[in-house]
Structure formats: structure tokens, C-alpha cells
Amino acid sequence: MAINPASPTPSMFRKKPSSAMSTAASYLSAVSKADARARGLNGGSTTSTPALSLSSSVTSSSEDTVLHEDIGDSADGLYYPSVPPTSEQVFTTVHTEFGHCANESYRYTSRHTPGEPVKGVVEQDPPYYILITTYVSYLLVICIGHLRDFIGKRFKPSAFRHLMTQDGYAALNSDFDSFYTRRLKSRIDDCFSHPVTGVPGRTILLLDRYSTDHNVTFQPTGTRTRGLNISSYNYLGFAQGDGPCADAVEESVARYGVSACSTRREVGTLDLHLQAEALVARFMGMESALISSMGFATNSTIIPALVSKGCLVISDEFNHASIRYGVRLSGANVRMFKHNNMQALESLLREVISQGQPKTHRPWKKILIIVEGLYSMEGTLVNLPALLELKKKYKFYLFVDEAHSVGAMGPHGRGVADYFDVNPRSIDILMGTFTKSFGAAGGYIAGNKALIERLRISSHYSAYTEAMAPPVLTQVMASMASIMGVTIIPETKNSSSLSLLHSSNAIPVPVTNLEATAYPGTAPSTALPNWVSLPPSLCDGSDGRMR
Amino acid sequence: MSATTSSLEPLFTILSYSYATLETNFYKLPGSSVVARYVKSSHQNDPGRTLLEVFLIIFAIRTLLQSRTRADNSGKHFISFDEKEIDELVDEWTPEPLAAELSPKEQAELASIPVIVGPTGPKPKLSNGKTVLNLASYNFTGLAGNEDIKQSGVETLRKYGLGSCGPPGFYGNQDVHIQLEKDIADFLGTESAILYSQAFSTISSVIPAFCKRGDLIVADRGVNFSIQKGLQISRCTVRWYDHNDLNSLEQVLEAIEKERQKKRSPLTRRFIVTEGIFDHDGAMSDLPKLIELKLKFKYRLILDESISFGSVGRTGRGLTELYNVPADQVDMLVGSVANGLASAGGFCAGTNIVVNHQRINGTSFVFSAAMPALLTVAASEGISILRNTPSILSTLQENIRAVRVILDRVDCISIPSHPASATIHLHVKLPSPMHLSPRVPPPSPSLSSSSSGKPSNPLSPTPREAPQFDAELEEKLLQDVVEEALAQGVLITRAKRLRGQELNDIRPSIRLAISAALNKKDCEKAANVVKAAFVKIVGRQRR
């Protein structure tokens, strides 16, 4: 699909009626050519139909990947596409890592229809017989667990030593505290922490294991199983060992090594950090942004710098653990509202503003509402338009955690603000992670310049946490540019990164006058390091759009 | 009279009839006799008892039905307003700005942060085009920019992609993570280890994973910020002992033991939390003594080796190697992969029980994505390099000595750091405390009245005799020194801290981080530049 010229309106996921295939003849010749090459490379291991042997293994770069060590049953579509792919892009990706949507009618634009009321949370209470049987099963398992504890402690005390007081040491974890983990969760432990290998892409390679002692320990069998991967947070398929992003990361490892070796406020600030932060700000349509090296720590180290004693945090009851952790560190008061319930929120707001701080009744210094864009555990979407209406009236500050929605929602992949077509700058703080849609790690905070500078000075993140590693920064920039598309701007002076740094001393904002305020716009090539190679599919945004 | 009775007669019959049917039907229900027996036995001809039971049931139902997120309008401090008043109050309320404007000093601080163009390493290039000697980055063993590490990093990238795309519990647990955990455990000699994806978030998750409300922690007064946050989150009882003073620790432990015996309070989990080499000043703990005390008083030891792992010991195994103490004597050994192995993340090593407990209870392990495979492999590679080349650590120690020899003798510098510590903190030494400007308030008013010589209060994190210094002035002087050294081609940095957020006011310092990647000559040259800068700036101040 890369051969297709860029569509006038750059939008990912959009339904496009025009076929990506240029002619039927070119497709057929491509298929036969690939088939011949595949035969030549794979020797006798070709499959029955020519179409099935059109595997990704023809690309030279992927031959030595771990993915081709064991070629399994080709009929399940895990190793070879079961339908002949219709684009030449398939030759640049590995089928096991990235599945192409060959059928244009499957594409869907994620966008909120203006005016349509946002769907509330659907109560999904199970029928009573399920509830009752579940509780009975729980009861049964709990009873058996206690029975086993009772008998075990008397007949096999060695296995329970760590749960009991011994030699004057209190138990590290009491048997009561760890009961759930030991007796309930351990029964299904084979589902968790499964070791995997290779790219967590379209498919994932599991390292098989078995347990002889009821899931206390696991032994590897040495075999592997490939499964279709619907568990990794790889929304756009940027988890790849091939392609323009991986090429850029390879280049950055060669140039920068793997670490920045310090904190951002000391000497861990590289030119890459500044460039990546500027690109993130541009992607989000915000004035400024900062990047933290761990998604969890983005919330837990930055929320304490936003609010303090005398402030109030109003938090959705289903917010992520990192938000709760950060709020607890901040020392601010916390109130919760019913998940996504805007009426409950409004009545709570009226109460807290009128009552003020507990006991003293002084007015709150600030009220910060923290919500998630797309709730990680429920999959529900925040009612952003209603929230912004409330914001106008009640003057609170809004913090949206877009860990799951950024990149994956909205016609341009810019998250919930894009999805609801609201101005991102009407939200005070946009937070998100790079782990999910961008196939990297870490997180960002985007907001206005004053806010970001304040956070750089007084948050834990800048003074104590390690700066983000250069390869991760490069993955972020390359995948982001791939979604945005890149406008080639002829280089004016010497090295772009240097000239940027010379132009303004503190935090350079490398946007050209050409489209300084365009949102959602493309990334100017000067915003990327000049050593990143820019294949055409990345520049015209089709690489990101086709994901 | 009889007329009314007769007219009510049918009503009574209906009532008695319906009661009888109700009763028979009730006894037809399975298990109803049990209920009846229960009600009878609890009633015992005392309506008060039944009433109490009914109240209890109603209360239970009410509690169950109440929402967790309800408005709290029942307290005695609640003032009820009508809607109009609330509207007025809402209109009236003006919040403070979300972010306070930066002061000129803070702006200057932000502008003074150096930007490295290209890779960091012993001789990085700065944004002003200058190539400088780096005495600031945590690159003790010189692994940053190592070609072998780069190559294995690229190989890993091609096999695994970059991100792990999931928390360890849900298919983010790649074989490379398991391998690194095993490598660390083997390297240190513990049963097992667990990998966190950020060094700062490691110990602040480890502490609350084990210490709950009611547990007891005895901590050093000079612990780093991450530990402070871990203590805050854990909500357990904290007792403090004087910074790096094990006699003070012993006194505190004895006092606690006495108190416990007097009160006969039940045995709770007890921990000693301290650092190997302190992040705040580079002082080193006396590990054998610490182990002795912990065994004597039956405490568990949580040791943060974020600075010492990868910088002391024959092959960089940290304090346990330096003092020849088996690592399994330390119950939870926390270290930084980011500092020690020039990669990213942190780890906690210990027994299988300790490690497996964290896999479900370590907040930032459970709720965060696993580290990128590339960085994990880089760390594994780093460990094998350290194992095979002990000369790295001896070079590092030589470099440290070379720098210390020059800086120890400068009379305007005081160095609290241990001679073997790869981080060297430089304090400004001003001629006399009279120099302090009078506006400096005493650190704590309660302390001024106390007589000296008595031990500090273990309940308070502030020591009895807090060191007196003028933080603003010293910070400014040190920043001038940093800039002067930078002008002479040596990159050093002030130890950046959040003043006001730390438990104690920490004396401002310049933190040098010595690297094995520099040769001895470079180190001497850099140290001389630092010395000259100190003499110039602080000397000017003295006059």
C-alpha cells in the first residue's frame, strides 16, 4: 500500500474506497516472483499452494530472526498469510510480526460523531445464578485452602516456615495476607508471567513450561508454541524487529549507545531528549512536553509536583495504580467519583467547592480531576465533552491519562481529544505512555510551557530518575513520525540538531514557521535527527496510516 | 359495644386464617425450621434482643447499599447550603494557577542544564560545540558506548523489537528478562533477583511490598529520596538513627527492644533500611557491623546499593564483595542497573520467597511494562564484561585515588565521601560558621533549647544537631564552580535535589562520578581544573 500516493487528508484507519493494488497484472507478477524466491530459499519446504508460500521469509533482513527457527503448521495462518496479501508492503514486514489488513472495507475510522451523546457505562451485571455459583466456588476454594493450611502446618511445617514466626523474626508475609495468592491465584498461575521470546507482534512465541508442584515452580520444556497475540499492548504494530523504526533505532544504538547515564537535571540531557520532547508536543498539539523513562513513574513522580497539601484531587474510582500512588505521595486530599458518572462528579464538585477544605473550610488551592482516556481495566471511554463542559463552570484542572488511547484513538491517532474532536489545549495536562501504541517504553506529560518548566524544576522525575535511553527515544520519534507523516524541509545550515540548539538556548522548539501551529500536522524533517533515514512510506504517512 | 365486636369478627377470622396459612407455608419451605429455631433462641422472650438483631440487619443492608464514592455530607463539619448559595460559591472560587511561575533563579537553573550532543561517555560533546571531560555521568565502569554491548543490543533489537509491550504478568516477561534476573542473582550470589524498569522506582516499591502499617523500620537519617518515598507509601512506623552512625543504630535498636518488652507488644516485621554508599554524600556503610546488629536484634536488612553496585568490590559486585560478606546475609539487596551497568532499570536480589513476593506485591513491577529487551541484554552483557575484566574496577579505583589525592588537600573543599566511593561529593568549606548570614533560621526551633551530647530523638528524621549552612549561598558558589570548570573543559554537576521536599535539608554539593573509561592523566587534569575552579570562586568569596 506504500505505492499508493498519500491521500489528501492524512488520516489513519480511514476507509478508502480506492484499491491499493495498482493493477491486477502487477500483483500476479509480484506473487509469482515472490513464490519463486521463496522456493529457492526454503528448499523443499514449500507448501502446497503457491499463495501460501508467499512468506515474509523472503526478505533478506528477516531470515536470521528467531521467528523462523521452527516453521509450524502453515494452515493456521500464523506463519503464512492464508489469503494472498494484496500489497507490496508485505515484503517489507514479517508476517508473524505484523498482519496486513488486505481488505480495505475492514478499515474503520475511530471518531466520535459530533452531537451524539457519549454512551454511558453499560452495567454488565451477570445473571444471579452465575453470581451465586461463582461465590460458592470461591467459598469452596477458600475452605479447601484453609483446610490445606491447617493440615500442612501440622504435618509439613517446613513448607510453611516463611509464613510463621521463627527465631524471633516475624513472618515476612503472614499466612492471612498471602492466602489469596497462595491458595487462589496459584491455581491459575500457569496463565500469568508466561515467558515469551521474540517480537510481541501479531503473533507471540511462548516458551512452554510445566509444573510438577501445583504451580509453585515451573520447568521449561524447551519447546515453543506460537500463538496469535491478542494480549500485548501493540495497538499499531510498532513492535517490530524490522521496518523503518527498527532501522532508526539500530542507527541510534550505533551513534548513542544504550544509556544516557544520568538524570535529566544533572547531565543526562541529550539532544535527542529535546528533539523527542518537541516532537511529542507537536504530536499532541500542546505547547511543550517532557518525557519520563517509565510509564508508571510518569504518574508517580509527577503528580506530587502538581498538587500538594491544601489541594484536592478528584479521581475516577477505576484509575490506574500509578495515579493512586502518585496522589498518595503528593499529600493532597483525594475524593473519588463513580466511574465515568458525570452527574456524580458534578454533585461532588458542588459539594467540595462549597465546603472547602475539611474542618477549616478554607477554599481549596487547586482542584485537579484525574481521569483516564481509555480505562485500562474496563475499556470504557471517558466522557470528555461533558467533562470539558463541567470544567468551564467549575474551574478545575484536568489531567487525562492517555496511556491506552494515545495513538490508538481518533482519526489522526492523537488520542481521545482527537476522537472527540476537541482542542487538546482545553485539557491542562495530557499524560500518556509510549509502551502501548508506539512499541517503546516510558511516558510523557504534555501541557503549556509554564507547567512543563515547573515540572522540570520541581518534580521527582527530573532530579532523581534516570533519563530515557537513546534507543527508546528513537523508537518514539520514528513511530510518531510514521503516524504523523514527515514534511521534508531542505536543511538550511549544518547539522540540524546543532543549529536547533544554537538558535535558542534553553528548550528549543523546532517547528518551522511553515506550519508551526498546524494540528494535527505532519512532522517537519528538521524535528527528527538528521541521521534517521526517511523511507517514502514513512514520509507520506502511509506506514502509520495503514496500521 | 358488642356490635362493634361482631362487626370486627370477620376481620379477625381473616387475620387468623391468613396467619395460619402463612405459618404452614413457611414451615413447608426447606430450611425454615432452622430459621425459626434461630429466631426463637435469639428472641428468648426478650423483644429487645430481636429488636437489636433487626437493627443489625438493617445496618448491614444499609452499609452494603451505600456507595463507596458517596458525598460525605453527614459529618459535623458539614454546612448545608442551598443551590443558589453553592452556585455563588462556585462562581466566587478562584483556584491558584496550576503551575507557579518560575523564579529567575529557577529559570537560570533550567538554562544551565548542559545538553550533550551525541553519545554520552568519558568525553562527550556539548551543545556549544565543546568536547569536555566527563566527571558527572554515572558511567563508573565505562560501559557506556561499549561496542560489544552495542552489537548485542542491535541483535536483540532485530529479534525482539524494542518495547516489551506489556507488564511482566501479561506476556511482557521475555526470556531476556529472566536471563538478566538470573545473571544478577548469580553475579551477586543470591538465590534470585527481580528486575524493575526504573532504578528510582525500585526501592520505593520494594519497601511498601514488605512493610505494612504496624511494621517497624529503622532507617538512616541520610537515606535517599527514593527510600524516603518508599517509607512514606508504606505507612509503617519509622525510627531514625544518625547518619551512618552504627552506634546510634544500636542505641535505637536497644531502646525499641526495651520498649517492646515493657509493653509486651506482639512481634511485628522489623527492618533496617540504609544505603551501601549514600547518594547524598558518598559515605559508606560498615556492612559487617550492620549485619552483626541485624542478626543480634533480629531485623531484616534492606540495603540500597544504587551507587555501590558496579563501582566497588573487585569485580563491581558492590559492598558485599568489598567486605567479603555473603550477599544472602542481606535480606533485600536493591541496586541500580542504570547506574551500575550503564543501561536502565533497577533490581532487588534476595531469596526466592523475597523475590516471588514482589512479583505480585511490588507496585511498580506489577503495574508497569517490562524493560525493553535491548536494554536488558545490554545489562547482561555488562555483567559478563565485569566478570571477565576485573581490571575495570582496579582502573576505577586508581582514578578515584588520583582525583582524591588532588582534591583532599584543597582547604576550601570538604569531602564527606568514603575514599573508595566512585561518587565524590564536594562541599564548600568556608572559614568559620561566623560567615553564615544571620538570616539563616535554625533548622528546627525545638532543637535550640536542647543540650548537646544527648542522642537525637529516634521519632524525628531531623538530627539533634543539624549541620548549619547557608544553602542558597553555597548553591550559588557551587554553580559558579561548575560553570568555571565547564569553561575549562570539565563537565561536573551539582547534586540536584528538591530542596524542601527532602526530609532533611541536605548540604549542597558538587557530585563527581569517576569513570574507568578515563585514563589517569585525564582524571588528574580534570581534578586540577576542579581544584582551580574551587580556589578561584570560593577563594574570592573568602576575601
Side-chain angles (χ1 to χ4, degrees):
Chain A
M1 269 163 254
I3 51 172
N4 213 29
S7 66
T9 48
S11 69
M12 37 187 300
F13 308 122
R14 177 160 299 172
K15 232 185 230 185
K16 282 203 303 177
S18 67
S19 167
M21 209 196 311
S22 49
T23 58
S26 73
Y27 168 57
L28 282 175
S29 72
V31 166
S32 66
K33 229 189 280 172
D35 187 45
R37 277 164 67 197
R39 256 194 208 125
L41 285 167
N42 289 350
S45 72
T46 44
T47 41
S48 53
T49 53
L52 286 182
S53 68
L54 188 120
S55 87
S56 48
S57 60
V58 295
T59 55
S60 57
S61 59
S62 61
E63 269 173 335
D64 53 348
T65 57
V66 66
L67 307 159
H68 296 282
E69 279 172 15
D70 48 346
I71 300 294
D73 182 17
S74 58
D76 59 1
L78 286 179
Y79 295 91
Y80 302 116
S82 47
V83 179
T86 55
S87 88
E88 75 170 17
Q89 201 175 2
V90 77
F91 295 110
T92 62
T93 57
V94 180
H95 184 65
T96 48
E97 288 175 12
F98 190 87
H100 273 284
C101 176
N103 191 339
E104 283 295 313
S105 62
Y106 287 140
R107 290 197 182 275
Y108 165 74
T109 308
S110 119
R111 164 176 280 173
H112 176 67
T113 327
E116 189 187 291
V118 181
K119 269 185 238 151
V121 184
V122 188
E123 294 282 341
Q124 288 174 323
D125 283 336
Y128 274 109
Y129 74 92
I130 289 189
L131 265 183
I132 290 167
T133 49
T134 310
Y135 280 124
V136 168
S137 323
Y138 257 111
L139 203 69
L140 197 70
V141 176
I142 290 171
C143 288
I144 293 175
H146 280 299
L147 199 68
R148 283 174 65 186
D149 273 4
F150 183 81
I151 295 170
K153 273 183 194 166
R154 272 143 194 90
F155 292 98
K156 209 179 153 199
S158 60
F160 288 84
R161 265 168 73 189
H162 64 286
L163 299 172
M164 297 195 277
T165 305
Q166 48 164 344
D167 325 328
Y169 287 92
L172 192 56
N173 39 346
S174 72
D175 54 350
F176 180 76
D177 284 352
S178 65
F179 181 80
Y180 172 78
T181 326
R182 286 182 301 116
R183 293 300 182 203
L184 273 70
K185 186 181 163 285
S186 73
R187 286 172 181 269
I188 50 168
D189 252 356
D190 52 335
C191 309
F192 294 107
S193 303
H194 203 120
V196 298
T197 186
V199 177
R202 179 180 153 270
T203 64
I204 195 160
L205 203 54
L206 305 176
L207 301 175
D208 299 331
R209 56 179 186 175
Y210 67 99
S211 178
T212 51
D213 49 5
H214 303 287
N215 296 345
V216 178
T217 57
F218 290 95
Q219 280 74 42
T221 59
T223 57
R224 299 151 175 229
T225 307
R226 185 172 288 282
L228 193 66
N229 185 4
I230 48 170
S231 69
S232 292
Y233 297 131
N234 179 27
Y235 300 137
L236 299 181
F238 277 113
Q240 282 177 304
D242 282 284
C245 293
D247 292 344
V249 176
E250 178 172 348
E251 182 64 28
S252 84
V253 172
R255 280 171 183 267
Y256 285 85
V258 294
S259 176
C261 291
S262 188
T263 66
R264 285 294 302 279
R265 258 177 83 186
E266 290 177 351
V267 292
T269 306
L270 304 181
D271 51 346
L272 273 185
H273 287 107
L274 304 183
Q275 286 176 326
E277 283 172 349
L279 190 67
V280 170
R282 192 175 164 76
F283 183 87
M284 300 312 307
M286 300 297 258
E287 239 175 67
S288 193
L290 62 82
I291 288 179
S292 148
S293 58
M294 179 185 181
F296 180 92
T298 314
N299 278 332
S300 69
T301 61
I302 281 175
I303 292 175
L306 291 169
V307 283
S308 58
K309 210 162 172 276
C311 301
L312 177 71
V313 172
I314 300 182
S315 164
D316 191 290
E317 60 176 339
F318 290 158
N319 271 348
H320 190 251
S322 58
I323 297 174
R324 295 166 185 222
Y325 192 98
V327 172
R328 240 169 88 182
L329 281 183
S330 74
N333 279 56
V334 198
R335 297 293 292 270
M336 290 201 287
F337 67 97
K338 205 163 158 22
H339 176 52
N340 229 349
N341 186 334
M342 292 302 137
Q343 284 81 40
L345 175 62
E346 181 163 13
S347 66
L348 179 63
L349 274 168
R350 292 177 75 82
E351 184 208 314
V352 293
I353 295 178
S354 62
Q355 294 296 322
Q357 296 186 32
K359 289 188 185 169
T360 61
H361 292 285
R362 292 208 185 136
W364 296 101
K365 287 188 195 161
K366 306 171 212 175
I367 294 179
L368 181 70
I369 293 194
I370 304 185
V371 292
E372 288 188 47
L374 193 60
Y375 286 85
S376 50
M377 291 299 132
E378 283 73 30
T380 46
L381 197 63
V382 67
N383 189 347
L384 193 61
L387 209 50
L388 290 174
E389 278 305 308
L390 287 180
K391 180 170 156 53
K392 271 180 214 152
K393 189 170 173 198
Y394 294 100
K395 295 173 282 194
F396 54 82
Y397 297 110
L398 184 58
F399 181 112
V400 182
D401 178 339
E402 291 213 86
H404 288 264
S405 52
V406 69
M409 303 231 34
H412 311 92
R414 305 302 209 264
V416 277
D418 190 21
Y419 178 82
F420 287 112
D421 198 22
V422 299
N423 183 0
R425 297 200 183 192
S426 58
I427 301 167
D428 299 286
I429 306 147
L430 280 175
M431 177 269 168
T433 64
F434 301 123
T435 319
K436 282 92 185 184
S437 299
F438 303 102
Y444 65 84
I445 297 268
N448 64 34
K449 195 156 173 280
L451 170 77
I452 299 296
E453 288 193 346
R454 165 54 57 196
L455 294 179
R456 281 184 207 284
I457 283 288
S458 43
S459 70
H460 311 167
Y461 125 88
S462 60
Y464 303 105
T465 72
E466 70 227 36
M468 196 190 235
V472 186
L473 284 170
T474 315
Q475 169 80 14
V476 169
M477 289 166 88
S479 53
M480 216 166 241
S482 164
I483 298 171
M484 296 166 86
V486 179
T487 317
I488 304 280
I489 293 167
E491 297 212 2
T492 47
K493 284 185 298 221
N494 42 18
S495 144
S496 69
S497 60
L498 271 180
S499 65
L500 280 173
L501 295 166
H502 283 311
S503 59
S504 63
N505 199 11
I507 308 300
V509 187
V511 280
T512 49
N513 299 330
L514 194 64
E515 35 179 273
T517 51
Y519 168 82
T522 58
S525 60
T526 47
L528 295 169
N530 54 354
W531 41 262
V532 170
S533 62
L534 298 166
S537 67
L538 198 145
C539 286
D540 64 15
S542 60
D543 180 61
R545 193 162 61 246
M546 288 302 146
R547 284 171 190 271
Chain B
M1 188 68 188
S2 65
T4 47
T5 330
S6 59
S7 66
L8 280 175
E9 200 97 324
L11 189 69
F12 285 134
T13 15
I14 290 168
L15 270 178
S16 70
Y17 173 73
S18 55
Y19 176 74
T21 36
L22 206 69
E23 198 177 358
T24 46
N25 279 332
F26 175 74
Y27 279 111
K28 270 181 200 165
L29 283 174
S32 55
S33 57
V34 179
V35 178
R37 210 181 321 131
Y38 178 76
V39 171
K40 261 183 205 159
S41 67
S42 68
H43 183 62
Q44 286 182 351
N45 290 331
D46 183 1
R49 294 175 69 111
T50 316
L51 214 62
L52 187 73
E53 294 258 338
V54 168
F55 270 130
L56 279 177
I57 290 166
I58 290 171
F59 183 73
I61 291 170
R62 185 171 158 262
T63 317
L64 284 176
L65 290 181
Q66 248 171 5
S67 136
R68 276 176 299 128
T69 53
R70 72 187 194 279
D72 176 30
N73 50 11
S74 51
K76 61 176 176 169
H77 293 289
F78 190 85
I79 304 167
S80 56
F81 295 102
D82 60 29
E83 291 298 299
K84 210 176 139 212
E85 284 171 320
I86 292 180
D87 279 334
E88 277 170 10
L89 284 166
V90 165
D91 285 339
E92 210 177 271
W93 181 63
T94 39
E96 283 181 7
L98 182 56
E101 286 278 315
L102 294 188
S103 66
K105 209 176 126 245
E106 287 168 328
Q107 274 169 351
E109 142 108 62
L110 208 54
S112 72
I113 296 173
V115 178
I116 294 173
V117 176
T120 184
K123 290 172 186 173
K125 196 171 158 197
L126 296 188
S127 55
N128 55 13
K130 241 173 141 173
T131 303
V132 291
L133 283 174
N134 189 349
L135 279 193
S137 293
Y138 290 119
N139 180 24
F140 304 128
T141 41
L143 293 173
N146 184 297
E147 288 303 323
D148 292 342
I149 290 181
K150 280 186 188 177
Q151 203 193 329
S152 57
V154 170
E155 278 164 21
T156 316
L157 170 74
R158 292 305 182 187
K159 270 189 194 172
Y160 293 85
L162 189 93
S164 56
C165 291
F170 302 111
Y171 300 96
N173 186 19
Q174 291 168 322
D175 49 356
V176 287
H177 297 108
I178 300 170
Q179 185 60 44
L180 178 58
E181 287 173 352
K182 214 169 140 245
D183 284 346
I184 292 171
D186 284 351
F187 188 56
L188 291 169
T190 58
E191 257 181 39
S192 189
I194 180 172
L195 188 67
Y196 286 79
S197 29
Q198 192 183 55
F200 177 79
S201 302
T202 306
I203 197 159
S204 55
S205 266
V206 172
I207 294 176
F210 294 103
C211 320
K212 311 281 180 214
R213 204 188 284 269
D215 293 342
L216 177 72
I217 286 183
V218 180
D220 189 288
R221 285 202 166 84
V223 292
N224 66 34
F225 196 71
S226 182
I227 297 179
Q228 292 169 21
K229 292 294 127 183
L231 297 178
Q232 185 186 340
I233 282 282
S234 73
R235 294 175 175 164
C236 55
T237 318
V238 185
R239 294 284 181 275
W240 303 90
Y241 68 92
D242 281 343
H243 176 47
N244 207 17
D245 182 351
L246 295 188
N247 293 329
S248 160
L249 171 65
E250 193 166 3
Q251 284 166 8
V252 172
L253 294 179
E254 267 167 6
I256 292 169
E257 191 56 33
K258 257 184 216 153
E259 192 187 343
R260 198 178 76 85
Q261 278 169 1
K262 208 164 78 185
K263 283 191 182 167
R264 296 199 183 164
S265 46
L267 188 65
T268 55
R269 282 174 287 246
R270 297 176 300 183
F271 300 86
I272 297 172
V273 180
T274 185
E275 285 178 84
I277 288 182
F278 287 87
D279 183 35
H280 282 161
D281 59 4
M284 193 189 285
S285 292
D286 181 0
L287 190 60
K289 180 89 200 287
L290 208 54
I291 300 275
E292 190 195 310
L293 285 178
K294 127 194 158 70
L295 291 175
K296 184 178 164 197
F297 289 93
K298 298 196 189 300
Y299 277 62
R300 292 187 174 91
L301 176 62
I302 303 182
L303 185 70
D304 187 350
E305 290 224 56
S306 294
I307 304 288
S308 48
F309 175 74
S311 73
V312 296
R314 197 181 63 87
T315 52
R317 287 173 169 89
L319 229 55
T320 50
E321 192 181 25
L322 185 75
Y323 285 112
N324 205 10
V325 172
D328 55 13
Q329 298 266 319
V330 181
D331 298 86
M332 292 119 201
L333 199 158
V334 181
S336 160
V337 182
N339 292 351
L341 301 168
S343 175
F347 67 84
C348 174
T351 60
N352 283 328
I353 288 164
V354 163
V355 166
N356 289 338
H357 181 74
Q358 289 174 60
R359 293 195 194 278
I360 306 152
N361 294 292
T363 327
S364 70
F365 178 82
V366 174
F367 293 104
S368 141
M371 227 162 92
L374 186 160
L375 300 171
T376 319
V377 170
S380 284
E381 189 78 9
I383 288 184
S384 82
I385 292 174
L386 288 187
R387 259 180 206 278
N388 298 327
T389 19
S391 66
I392 294 181
L393 266 296
S394 52
T395 315
L396 175 63
Q397 287 301 325
E398 267 170 39
N399 287 348
I400 294 168
R401 268 196 298 278
V403 172
R404 287 297 292 259
V405 160
I406 294 167
L407 294 180
D408 275 343
R409 286 178 303 176
V410 184
D411 57 358
C412 55
I413 302 177
S414 70
I415 302 180
S417 308
H418 188 271
S421 162
T423 58
I424 303 175
H425 288 258
L426 311 176
H427 291 171
V428 177
K429 191 156 81 185
L430 292 164
S432 70
M434 302 305 284
H435 185 87
L436 291 172
S437 48
R439 64 192 161 82
V440 180
S444 168
S446 63
L447 297 176
S448 50
S449 59
S450 69
S451 62
S452 61
K454 272 167 80 182
S456 316
N457 178 9
L459 293 170
S460 140
T462 13
R464 188 163 293 272
E465 279 163 49
Q468 306 258 324
F469 52 85
D470 182 351
E472 300 239 333
L473 173 77
E474 291 193 9
E475 260 178 19
K476 196 186 155 294
L477 285 177
L478 291 172
Q479 186 57 36
D480 288 347
V481 171
V482 168
E483 272 153 33
E484 174 67 24
L486 201 57
Q488 303 297 325
V490 175
L491 179 65
I492 52 175
T493 179
R494 281 192 299 124
K496 301 285 173 76
R497 288 159 196 140
L498 300 177
R499 227 160 16 99
Q501 295 191 41
E502 295 260 8
L503 274 177
N504 287 318
D505 233 0
I506 299 146
R507 184 156 193 184
S509 66
I510 281 179
R511 178 187 54 74
L512 306 182
I514 312 298
S515 166
L518 289 167
N519 60 34
K520 202 175 167 192
K521 232 181 208 157
D522 283 335
C523 287
E524 280 169 356
K525 192 178 140 201
N528 278 318
V529 168
V530 175
K531 176 185 166 185
F534 254 98
V535 170
K536 185 175 163 193
I537 303 293
V538 184
R540 192 197 296 150
Q541 182 70 23
R542 284 176 157 195
R543 252 176 274 125

